[in-house]
Structures are given as C-alpha cells and as structure tokens.
Amino acid sequence: MRIRKLFSQVEEIQEEQGRRVGRPIRRVVTAAVLENEYAGRWQEDLSALYGLGRDLGQQLTASALQLLGGEAAIVEAYGKGAIVGTSGEVEHAAALLHPLFGKAVRARLMQALAVMPSTVKRAAPGAVLDVPVHNILDPWSFDHFDAVSFSIADAPLPREIVVALVLSEGGRPLARIQPQH
C-alpha cells in the first residue's frame, strides 16, 4: 500500500478548568493516510495487512517519539485507531491494527506491557477520530483512561485508510477519580 501523506498533531495541556495542571502534558498523534487496495472488493484473507500494520507501528512510533524529544521513558499512555474510507470495510482497518502493530509500538517503548486500546470506523474525509488511551503498564490506571481526538481535512478518501498512533506523557489533566472496591 502506498502512503499518500503523513500527519502529526502535538497537544500540550497546561491548564484545565482555570487550574494549572502541574507539569504540562503533551499528547502526540501520528498518522498515515494509505491507499486501500481492498476497497470495493471482497477479500476473505486479510493477513497480508498484518505485516503492513507492524511496519506502520514502527514508523508511527518513531515519528511520535521524535515529536516528544526522542525519549521513550516519558511515555505513560498510548492508543491506536483507524478510519477506513467509504469504499472500504472496517475490517481492513482492524487488520492493520492487528496485534503486530501494538507489538511494534511496545518494542520501541520497551517498558510497555499493556494491550493498546483501539478503535476503528468507516467515515468520509474530515471525520473526527477519538482514539482511546490508557496506561502503558497498567490497563486499570483510572487516571490514564482518556481519548485524544483528531481529524485530517482531506482524509480518508473513499479508497483510503487513516492509521493513527497516540502517545501521551501523562494521564487526564487533574485526574482524581478513585476506584471503589
């Protein structure tokens, strides 16, 4: 599959509800807009997309870490997501986000253990994707349950897929919800 374009977004949260958040929290989205070779036709076996997902996981992680200054140790939370254009199937996006994508990301972060949360949907260009994120070590860290939103004005076109990775330096700003047992 050909990559038409790469996209990145860096968000730095310094204040929430009029309160300083302590240390600023940076959250990065890196995404690739790909041609969807399977759009408009049925394909039973989508396993060829798994390796491409692994390669995208490596590439998007490298880009995201560069935007965060190159230091993997500062990443506390992550998530992945994809939008398939209207001529494709949600399953095409899911195949790219196969566990090989997450394995590639965790390999670059080294300390990461938790399964990455993910989401996929079919939509037209400019659709907003809310990518769920949680802690890279503890999937039950309530302070890290969050989502990061982004959109690309001209993607995905009907025969494209947007594949995205989110890395975050922290959890929700001013998080204070405690689990009840």
Side-chain angles (χ1 to χ4, degrees):
M1 288 189 181
R2 287 189 343 245
I3 295 177
R4 177 169 67 91
K5 71 192 293 185
L6 297 171
F7 170 88
S8 19
Q9 170 181 298
V10 179
E11 173 182 43
E12 183 175 296
I13 302 168
Q14 298 185 3
E15 192 174 286
E16 182 77 15
Q17 295 291 311
R19 295 178 179 267
R20 298 296 293 173
V21 297
R23 70 175 170 89
I25 299 169
R26 287 185 300 163
R27 306 185 313 180
V28 172
V29 176
T30 54
V33 179
L34 311 166
E35 171 188 27
N36 182 357
E37 296 173 0
Y38 297 109
R41 65 181 176 93
W42 174 258
Q43 178 72 33
E44 182 68 32
D45 181 6
L46 298 174
S47 62
L49 295 175
Y50 303 166
L52 179 58
R54 179 198 57 233
D55 296 345
L56 285 170
Q58 293 168 344
Q59 181 178 357
L60 296 176
T61 304
S63 296
L65 287 175
Q66 184 177 15
L67 291 168
L68 289 171
E71 193 177 333
I74 64 172
V75 177
E76 290 185 19
Y78 56 16
K80 59 187 177 179
I83 309 172
V84 65
T86 56
S87 292
E89 293 180 55
V90 169
E91 201 66 9
H92 301 155
L96 289 167
L97 295 181
H98 179 275
L100 291 180
F101 181 100
K103 185 176 181 181
V105 175
R106 285 188 300 279
R108 288 295 305 266
L109 298 179
M110 291 178 264
Q111 79 277 18
L113 300 171
V115 172
M116 295 177 73
S118 68
T119 190
V120 298
K121 72 180 191 179
R122 181 185 302 120
V128 173
L129 186 64
D130 297 319
V131 179
V133 295
H134 67 68
N135 189 276
I136 65 171
L137 296 171
D138 179 5
W140 294 104
S141 173
F142 285 25
D143 289 355
H144 291 86
F145 289 179
D146 204 355
V148 176
S149 301
F150 79 96
S151 69
I152 303 173
D154 68 342
L157 295 173
R159 302 181 66 80
E160 291 181 334
I161 303 173
V162 174
V163 177
L165 170 68
V166 172
L167 298 182
S168 178
E169 290 181 332
R172 290 186 319 280
L174 308 177
R176 57 196 180 277
I177 304 300
Q178 298 299 313
Q180 298 294 309
H181 301 285

